[in-house]
Amino acid sequence: MSKEYLGEFEELVLTMAGILQEEAYGNAIVTEIKERVGREVNLSAVHVTLYRLEDKGFVKSRMGGATHERGGRRKRIFTVTNAGLAMLRTMKEARMDLWKLIPQLKIVGI
Amino acid sequence: MKATPPTWVRQLLQKVCPPHLYESIEGDLLEQFEFDLTAVGETKARRRFTWNTLRFLRPGILLRNRFTNNLINTMMVGNYFKVAARNIQKRKFYSFINAFGLSIGLAFCMLIALYIQDERKFDQFHTNKNQIYRMEAKSYDTWQQKQGDPYEKWAWLQSGLGPVLKDELPEVERATRFNDGNRAIFRYGEKVFTERLTYVDKDFFTMFSFQLLKGNADKIFIDKAEIVLTPAIAQKYFGEEDPIGKTIEIDNNGVKSFTVTGIIEPPPAQSSLSYVLLLPQENRNNYQHQMENWGNYGTPTFVQLRADADLVVFKSNLEKIVEKYVGAVLEQARKVSPIPIPADVKMLEYEFTPLPDIHLKKEISWEKVSDPQYSIILGGIALLIMLIACINYISLSLTTSASRRIEVGVRKVVGAQRNQLVYQFSFESLILAVISLVIGFALVILFLPSFNAFTNKSIELTLLNGVQLFSVGLALTLVTGLLAGSYPSLFLSRFKPAAVLKGGFTSRLQAGFTKPLVVLQFALSAFLIICSVMMYRQMQFITTKDLGYNKDQVLVIPTQAGWTEASDRVVEQFRTRAQQEPMIVSVTGTSSSFNQGYSRYGFKIKEEMKSAYVYAADPYYIPTLGITLLEGRNFDANIPADSNAVIVNESLVRDMKWTDPLNEYYNWREDSAGMGARVIGVVKDYHYLSLEQNFEPMFLSMDKRNVGYLTTLMVKVTAGDVTAGLDRVKAIWKELFPDKPFDYTFLDEDVAKQYSSYQRWMSIMGLATGFAILISCLGLFGLAGINAVNRTKEIGIRKVMGADMRTIFYLLNKQFVILAVIAFVLAAPLSWWFITKWYMKDFTFKVPVSWDLFALSMGVGLLLALATVSYHAIKVARVNPADTLKYE
């Protein structure tokens, strides 16, 4: 798995899918990103990223139930796979390891 | 009413979005729209919807379907490559047969493509090509009408027509005449040569796109004593000096000086007009007379019409020109015509052909005119060879398929789908085809010079047409690679994995479908063999046929003294001088040697239209050429009356229905006072014309004034050392006529030149046949090898049971012999039809198409096939049965 690599946006989307669980579909992820990170993202970009993650095997998708406000269209619900979770964890740990190597800044003075 | 997003946007999305993604994407978009509706209002929401949807039109979405497919394919391509390379390496010999055959086929196709491209490029380089037309005459034939068509067409017109068209018709912007072919002696200081003359008008330089390297197109040919040279001619006479302004002497019925005022580029190979130097029209012999005589057709004429000219108006204006200038002449011709002419028939019409079309307009004779049929035949030959090579590929892949069986089974078990296997095998054949393409391209470069020689072209491989050619080759490669690969790949991919892997197959390879392929392949080869043997025989026949005269060791030398008595004196002088020479057997003079032009006169004798070929001769003509005199006597220099006498050939006697020709007179000058020329001798028919033509009435005459002067000297030298004889003749010539160039040809070469195009076709056919046989024999060799391997065990058992070498040899070769015989039976009628319909129809004198031709060709073919397959048969038959059977 060491060859695989996630881009920053991919990681963000994957994390959101993990957070939203059963409600992880395109629009929900866009809203979630806006609310939690304060970042405006485009729906199509999220879709493409999700499909790419699916190709890589980090999420699985299935068609979920329809709701009224979607004009009766069903949602595509994405679930994070074990591989996806492992990937998220590895990335987080790798970042933490690196973070620890930065000399801690001390607040001097006053 | 509830607000909805724009319909067209949704339709667009539906159209371009992969179906399995469509529903959820649209759902998300709609959800966003509903949200926006409440947040920002309808107008903005609609705008955002559109924008959001358009953002989905990105490769990551649109190409999603194909993208995933590609992923799998590219994953496998590496493997296909590996397997293909291993297969090619493992069976080097079969790969070689396939690649060799395909590359020769491809090379042939590319050469033919070059040929066809060259044919189509003719005269395309002129900027004004779409406005330039060649004028043509369509004339009612009152003399010798062809079957079915009472009209004759030619591109020679009256000398006056060009200037008249330019002056009188508003459509004509420019016009030039183009008289080409006469030769004259050129002198500059010590340098004396004969050159070909081309007479044109001033407009020539502005109409056509031949580039003027030096000089000013607007000022050239204002003076009549000007000349424009090509660089090669300028170099020949003036060396490195600047030719402009130099004067050169031309001896063309009197010596005149001409000033060089321009240098023009030589015409490119794809030009219908060719020249080495240009002179103003007015310098032609008898120019004034020609201008006034509207009954004389001898001047090719080109016009450039204005861009807005209406061709229909032009055509009707041409009729007025005919009426105005040629009307009287035609009326007269109508009156004296030997056959009645219907009143509504037009005696003469002018027609015209666009410049780019004249090269392939074969019905009108022109120096470089070509028959579009050639392209078709050459293309056909190339396709035949290609087909044979493809058959090799197919039959070899089928017969070697057993060794791939396990591979197919394993691939299928692991999850390959049938179409993936089809891809794989097609990919393999493509790899082989691409390798062949590279080799084929190298072959094209290698063979182009000889191909040029065969087809009488000068095609060069430039970067531009090289790239074009390579793309043509690539397209062909893809097509043939897929075509040749398609059947084997379908066949191979059909194996059922369970059946294959269980091992239920016998070790025998199935080769059922290959038999018809082999027959087809051999039939094609046999067709080519028979055709080329036939052509070879006809050529043999022509070159060895007794022509009725002796053409060996005869030098033909133009007297260079023009159509005057001076020519006669040259012959006389030479003969007197040559009498002391032991190397010179005899010397004679004539008006024209064979295949160097002829005169044919038409006249009325007793109200009947007659025609005959005429050669001016002297008393030495018949002995020098060894012509057989059947009756009467030769001309005698001591009998003055002989200058008015004729010696006729047998055909003329037959034509006149004479029983006692020596008591007849031949009134060919339509002499109303006298009886005409006395017949003093009859010669046996000899072939003064090409063997394409039958014997025609002909007579020899010494009547210089009416028949012509002895403008050609014929010198027979002793057999043996011809080169020494030639040197001697040249030395005498230089001694007697130091101011005249010594141009010579050999009579037998002149005669052979008549058949050069047949010779060329024979070479092409021979070459194609050679390659076809080679390729199909290689294929057969491969097949025989597989066949022998298949039956190794069977043969071992047979040997143990007591079969001898001969029986086994017979057993193995029997089927191939049968196949070859079937192929010949199929090919024989086809080739007979082709040969008689296309090739032999041009000859009046031909070798009979007899059964032994077919027997011979078949014998050769069978022998080749047998030799090819025998190698394996002998090898297998000699193997010790213990070796083959011990593993069982």
Side-chain angles (χ1 to χ4, degrees):
Chain A
M1 273 309 218
S2 59
K3 265 197 241 168
E4 290 291 349
Y5 168 79
L6 282 189
E8 182 267 341
F9 192 64
E10 284 177 318
E11 191 188 348
L12 182 65
V13 172
L14 186 59
T15 316
M16 289 306 165
I19 294 169
L20 286 168
Q21 294 289 338
E22 286 302 299
E23 269 305 302
Y25 66 96
N27 243 352
I29 291 176
V30 173
T31 330
E32 194 71 10
I33 291 177
K34 195 180 173 192
E35 271 172 21
R36 295 199 184 262
V37 198
R39 191 165 146 188
E40 286 274 2
V41 293
N42 186 272
L43 182 62
S44 64
V46 170
H47 269 261
V48 170
T49 311
L50 282 169
Y51 301 144
R52 205 181 305 134
L53 287 170
E54 193 172 13
D55 289 342
K56 290 181 179 175
F58 296 137
V59 294
K60 282 190 300 191
S61 73
R62 64 191 159 80
M63 298 308 282
T67 55
H68 183 64
E69 63 267 28
R70 293 171 61 84
R73 304 290 186 276
R74 287 180 296 164
K75 299 167 182 168
R76 186 179 285 273
I77 308 290
F78 292 86
T79 335
V80 182
T81 61
N82 287 340
L85 271 177
M87 188 70 202
L88 276 179
R89 198 165 291 133
T90 333
M91 290 198 68
K92 188 196 116 200
E93 275 160 16
R95 194 162 304 141
M96 288 314 288
D97 285 348
L98 290 174
W99 180 247
K100 280 179 199 153
L101 293 181
I102 301 176
Q104 290 300 307
L105 297 173
K106 293 193 177 87
I107 299 163
V108 187
I110 303 180
Chain B
M1 206 190 108
K2 203 175 165 229
T4 49
T7 328
W8 68 269
V9 184
R10 289 172 69 177
Q11 280 168 349
L12 176 75
L13 185 70
Q14 190 173 13
K15 222 166 243 158
V16 298
C17 186
H20 67 282
L21 299 179
Y22 173 65
E23 185 177 350
S24 62
I25 288 178
E26 197 189 22
D28 279 6
L29 284 168
L30 288 175
E31 192 180 324
Q32 182 68 38
F33 177 72
E34 303 262 329
F35 175 79
D36 285 342
L37 212 56
T38 47
V40 293
E42 190 186 333
T43 327
K44 259 194 166 173
R46 283 173 69 104
R47 203 178 304 146
R48 278 192 191 177
F49 179 84
T50 310
W51 177 234
N52 278 337
T53 313
L54 291 181
R55 294 282 293 266
F56 268 93
L57 306 182
R58 51 164 83 197
I61 302 283
L62 299 183
L63 301 178
R64 187 125 283 268
N65 264 346
R66 261 163 280 166
F67 188 59
T68 42
N69 258 341
N70 279 348
L71 210 62
I72 295 168
N73 263 352
T74 40
M75 262 159 60
M76 292 305 289
V77 161
N79 178 269
Y80 294 165
F81 236 115
K82 202 183 275 175
V83 172
R86 281 179 190 164
N87 258 307
I88 289 173
Q89 270 180 358
K90 190 167 136 202
R91 290 185 305 221
K92 287 196 187 69
F93 183 65
Y94 296 121
S95 314
F96 166 74
I97 294 178
N98 284 332
F100 181 75
L102 283 180
S103 49
I104 285 183
L106 280 172
F108 258 89
C109 287
M110 284 193 271
L111 284 175
I112 305 308
L114 275 179
Y115 176 89
I116 294 172
Q117 190 196 31
D118 188 77
E119 288 278 276
R120 296 174 61 99
K121 257 193 344 211
F122 249 79
D123 298 317
Q124 294 290 342
F125 59 92
H126 295 291
T127 323
N128 299 330
K129 64 179 182 199
N130 294 324
Q131 283 150 264
I132 298 179
Y133 294 85
R134 180 186 65 184
M135 299 302 301
E136 288 148 13
K138 178 184 169 190
S139 155
Y140 192 75
D141 190 355
T142 56
W143 193 23
Q144 276 193 323
Q145 288 195 352
K146 292 186 294 283
Q147 288 248 309
D149 181 12
Y151 292 96
E152 266 201 307
K153 288 185 185 182
W154 59 80
W156 287 280
L157 297 143
Q158 300 95 333
S159 292
L161 184 67
V164 163
L165 289 180
K166 192 183 175 187
D167 292 345
E168 300 191 13
L169 295 193
E171 293 86 16
V172 178
E173 188 175 355
R174 300 185 179 118
T176 181
R177 293 163 288 177
F178 187 85
N179 289 74
D180 175 55
N182 273 351
R183 299 178 73 89
I185 304 172
F186 279 54
R187 284 195 201 93
Y188 179 74
E190 292 293 292
K191 292 174 179 146
V192 182
F193 300 101
T194 47
E195 304 292 354
R196 196 180 105 206
L197 308 175
T198 308
Y199 298 102
V200 297
D201 285 306
K202 204 173 166 314
D203 281 350
F204 180 86
F205 302 98
T206 40
M207 273 169 79
F208 296 107
S209 299
F210 301 114
Q211 212 188 331
L212 210 53
L213 304 173
K214 282 182 188 169
N216 184 342
D218 296 326
K219 291 183 188 156
I220 279 178
F221 284 10
I222 292 175
D223 184 35
K224 297 312 161 208
E226 288 183 28
I227 184 167
V228 172
L229 306 175
T230 50
I233 299 288
Q235 166 85 20
K236 191 166 161 188
Y237 289 94
F238 307 111
E240 294 307 311
E241 300 170 50
D242 182 13
I244 299 289
K246 293 266 187 322
T247 51
I248 192 164
E249 278 184 357
I250 302 177
D251 183 353
N252 186 23
N253 289 340
V255 180
K256 266 199 246 168
S257 289
F258 288 84
T259 310
V260 180
T261 52
I263 299 294
I264 193 166
E265 65 166 354
Q270 292 114 353
S271 169
S272 289
L273 303 175
S274 76
Y275 53 82
V276 294
L277 53 89
L278 301 166
L279 289 163
Q281 274 280 335
E282 289 76 5
N283 295 297
R284 281 167 53 204
N285 291 332
N286 292 328
Y287 180 73
Q288 272 317 314
H289 176 71
Q290 296 282 351
M291 284 300 281
E292 286 150 19
N293 185 348
W294 283 84
N296 209 344
Y297 299 79
T299 307
T301 303
F302 291 85
V303 294
Q304 180 184 343
L305 301 188
R306 287 181 202 286
D308 57 354
D310 185 345
L311 291 182
V312 180
V313 178
F314 179 54
K315 174 91 184 147
S316 65
N317 282 344
L318 285 175
E319 279 174 30
K320 287 176 203 147
I321 296 283
V322 173
E323 190 58 35
K324 182 170 170 190
Y325 289 92
V326 209
V329 179
L330 295 178
E331 230 15 75
Q332 181 61 23
R334 202 183 271 269
K335 265 183 217 144
V336 302
S337 166
I339 57 166
I341 301 173
D344 57 336
V345 163
K346 285 181 189 151
M347 293 287 285
L348 173 73
E349 276 176 87
Y350 288 131
E351 295 187 334
F352 44 91
T353 303
L355 181 63
D357 295 347
I358 67 178
H359 178 61
L360 290 176
K361 191 159 185 178
K362 61 168 172 136
E363 61 269 28
I364 293 182
S365 118
W366 189 260
E367 188 195 350
K368 283 191 190 172
V369 75
S370 172
D371 190 337
Q373 215 182 5
Y374 292 161
S375 306
I376 298 172
I377 289 170
L378 281 175
I381 294 177
L383 280 185
L384 279 191
I385 291 192
M386 200 69 207
L387 195 59
I388 292 177
C390 284
I391 291 176
N392 263 2
Y393 185 87
I394 295 175
S395 56
L396 285 179
S397 333
L398 287 186
T399 41
T400 55
S401 64
S403 58
R404 311 286 304 264
R405 229 164 32 199
I406 307 287
E407 183 193 335
V408 172
V410 171
R411 276 184 190 272
K412 280 199 170 175
V413 167
V414 177
Q417 293 180 348
R418 188 166 169 208
N419 60 359
Q420 280 178 309
L421 286 165
V422 173
Y423 286 145
Q424 185 201 341
F425 290 117
S426 309
F427 188 76
E428 272 181 32
S429 67
L430 270 185
I431 289 180
L432 202 75
V434 170
I435 295 174
S436 314
L437 173 68
V438 176
I439 303 175
F441 203 69
L443 287 177
V444 168
I445 296 169
L446 196 68
F447 279 115
L448 194 60
S450 13
F451 182 74
N452 275 336
F454 282 148
T455 52
N456 210 9
K457 282 202 171 289
S458 43
I459 303 172
E460 275 174 32
L461 213 53
T462 57
L463 189 65
L464 177 69
N465 70 7
V467 169
Q468 280 173 349
L469 190 64
F470 204 79
S471 26
V472 169
L474 201 63
L476 261 173
T477 307
L478 294 181
V479 171
T480 50
L482 289 178
L483 218 63
S486 62
Y487 184 73
S489 59
L490 286 176
F491 179 81
L492 281 170
S493 59
R494 208 158 45 202
F495 291 134
K496 295 237 168 11
V500 171
L501 296 176
K502 198 168 61 185
F505 274 78
T506 57
S507 63
R508 192 118 173 218
L509 307 177
Q510 303 297 316
F513 187 67
T514 55
K515 275 183 190 165
L517 289 179
V518 171
V519 169
L520 178 60
Q521 193 179 31
F522 249 70
L524 296 178
S525 307
F527 171 75
L528 287 172
I529 292 177
I530 296 175
C531 289
S532 47
V533 169
M534 195 64 229
M535 285 183 175
Y536 178 73
R537 279 190 160 198
Q538 178 66 23
M539 273 327 279
Q540 268 316 92
F541 173 77
I542 284 173
T543 41
T544 55
K545 183 169 172 34
D546 181 10
L547 298 177
Y549 62 89
N550 193 342
K551 62 184 186 324
D552 299 323
Q553 298 117 31
V554 178
L555 278 163
V556 179
I557 308 161
T559 57
Q560 318 275 19
W563 281 73
T564 58
E565 276 172 39
S567 275
D568 285 4
R569 282 198 297 276
V570 167
V571 175
E572 206 48 54
Q573 243 175 308
F574 196 91
R575 178 165 33 238
T576 320
R577 173 67 182 78
Q579 268 162 4
Q580 313 145 23
E581 294 292 330
M583 291 190 114
I584 296 174
V585 180
S586 62
V587 175
T588 181
T590 178
S591 49
S592 63
S593 173
F594 306 127
N595 194 28
Q596 291 193 349
Y598 54 77
S599 313
R600 189 182 193 184
Y601 290 0
F603 33 83
K604 256 188 202 170
I605 294 178
K606 291 178 187 146
E607 295 307 308
E608 225 183 307
M609 206 58 200
K610 296 283 178 195
S611 69
Y613 289 84
V614 189
Y615 287 88
D618 60 14
Y620 305 90
Y621 190 73
I622 290 177
T624 304
L625 292 178
I627 296 165
T628 319
L629 200 58
L630 289 179
E631 286 179 73
R633 58 177 178 85
N634 191 2
F635 295 116
D636 191 332
N638 299 320
I639 304 176
D642 273 8
S643 66
N644 190 28
V646 291
I647 295 179
V648 302
N649 71 353
E650 288 177 288
S651 299
L652 193 138
V653 175
R654 269 195 301 277
D655 186 45
M656 295 301 293
K657 302 186 185 69
W658 288 335
T659 44
D660 184 11
L662 293 184
N663 283 325
E664 299 284 353
Y665 287 85
Y666 194 55
N667 194 3
W668 63 277
R669 284 198 283 134
E670 302 184 3
D671 194 346
S672 49
M675 307 265 288
R678 191 189 159 83
V679 178
I680 57 166
V682 178
V683 290
K684 197 164 183 280
D685 274 332
Y686 59 91
H687 289 280
Y688 56 91
L689 296 172
S690 141
L691 288 171
E692 291 161 276
Q693 276 153 292
N694 208 341
F695 293 118
E696 300 279 347
M698 185 233 34
F699 63 88
L700 302 171
S701 165
M702 296 215 296
D703 186 346
K704 302 285 154 47
R705 193 168 308 153
N706 292 301
V707 171
Y709 297 96
L710 306 176
T711 50
T712 306
L713 186 66
M714 289 171 127
V715 182
K716 189 172 177 81
V717 297
T718 47
D721 198 351
V722 178
T723 335
L726 173 62
D727 287 344
R728 200 60 221 130
V729 171
K730 186 173 181 180
I732 297 174
W733 182 272
K734 282 284 150 207
E735 173 196 323
L736 289 178
F737 317 108
D739 60 335
K740 291 200 172 106
F742 178 69
D743 297 337
Y744 71 93
T745 49
F746 282 100
L747 183 60
D748 48 354
E749 287 170 8
D750 279 352
V751 171
K753 239 181 251 162
Q754 300 177 101
Y755 312 113
S756 57
S757 70
Y758 298 103
Q759 189 84 45
R760 277 203 302 274
W761 278 107
M762 193 184 79
S763 317
I764 291 178
M765 211 58 178
L767 197 71
T769 311
F771 278 121
I773 293 174
L774 190 61
I775 298 172
S776 35
C777 279
L778 277 174
L780 196 61
F781 189 71
L783 278 183
I786 293 160
N787 184 45
V789 169
N790 278 343
R791 303 175 78 167
T792 319
K793 269 191 191 128
E794 179 195 338
I795 287 159
I797 295 168
R798 279 177 191 272
K799 279 186 93 170
V800 170
M801 304 302 249
D804 60 357
M805 277 277 288
R806 211 182 47 200
T807 332
I808 290 167
F809 190 74
Y810 174 76
L811 177 81
L812 283 175
N813 287 347
K814 190 178 66 184
Q815 61 159 327
F816 289 110
V817 173
I818 293 174
L819 291 184
V821 170
I822 296 175
F824 261 94
V825 170
L826 289 177
L830 194 69
S831 44
W832 179 81
W833 177 82
F834 179 76
I835 278 290
T836 45
K837 275 279 174 233
W838 181 72
Y839 183 73
M840 297 292 260
K841 71 166 171 25
D842 291 339
F843 289 98
T844 310
F845 294 89
K846 50 195 158 199
V847 66
V849 183
S850 55
W851 65 271
D852 61 313
L853 159 78
F854 295 101
L856 181 79
S857 310
M858 185 160 156
V860 171
L862 266 185
L863 220 62
L864 274 171
L866 211 58
T868 319
V869 297
S870 291
Y871 170 80
H872 289 294
I874 293 172
K875 207 169 104 184
V876 172
R878 287 180 51 146
V879 171
N880 186 350
D883 291 338
T884 52
L885 294 178
K886 68 183 170 191
Y887 295 110
E888 198 66 16

